[in-house]
Amino acid sequence: LLIAPFSNPIIGSSIFGVLAVTCFHVAAESVRNYNRCIDKLQFELKSFDMQKAQCYCCSVNHVSSSGSDPLVCDREIIGQCISNW
């Protein structure tokens, strides 16, 4: 039995109903937002191409800013991590 803090149970039930609908709406919106994010992630993963990924080391031809030390390729490291995963 729902006990409303009002002398008139219709008013108490109405307020409870409005609060319940509001909470349900917020929860439903959160679930919809989560599902949109999952859809976007799946699309991005399907269209991902490791060879087209841009990385800093390739943009500077694998040479450090000092010009003397070679840089390890980020793309190769990430590719190995994905293969191991």
Side-chain angles (χ1 to χ4, degrees):
L1 183 66
L2 178 64
I3 300 174
F6 298 98
S7 59
N8 187 345
I10 293 175
I11 294 173
S13 297
S14 298
I15 291 173
F16 177 77
V18 168
L19 289 174
V21 168
T22 303
C23 291
F24 177 77
H25 175 73
V26 169
E29 185 62 31
S30 296
V31 170
R32 286 194 299 265
N33 187 36
Y34 174 76
N35 286 333
R36 281 191 294 269
C37 289
I38 294 296
D39 289 342
K40 182 180 177 184
L41 176 64
Q42 287 177 344
F43 174 77
E44 288 176 358
L45 287 175
K46 285 179 183 177
S47 63
F48 178 74
D49 184 6
M50 189 72 168
Q51 298 306 317
K52 292 181 182 177
Q54 296 178 353
C55 51
Y56 173 75
C57 60
C58 294
S59 68
V60 295
N61 294 322
H62 300 99
V63 178
S64 67
S65 58
S66 65
S68 58
D69 299 325
L71 293 175
V72 179
C73 186
D74 296 338
R75 185 179 293 138
E76 290 178 11
I77 294 171
I78 297 297
Q80 289 174 359
C81 290
I82 290 172
S83 296
N84 290 339
W85 185 30

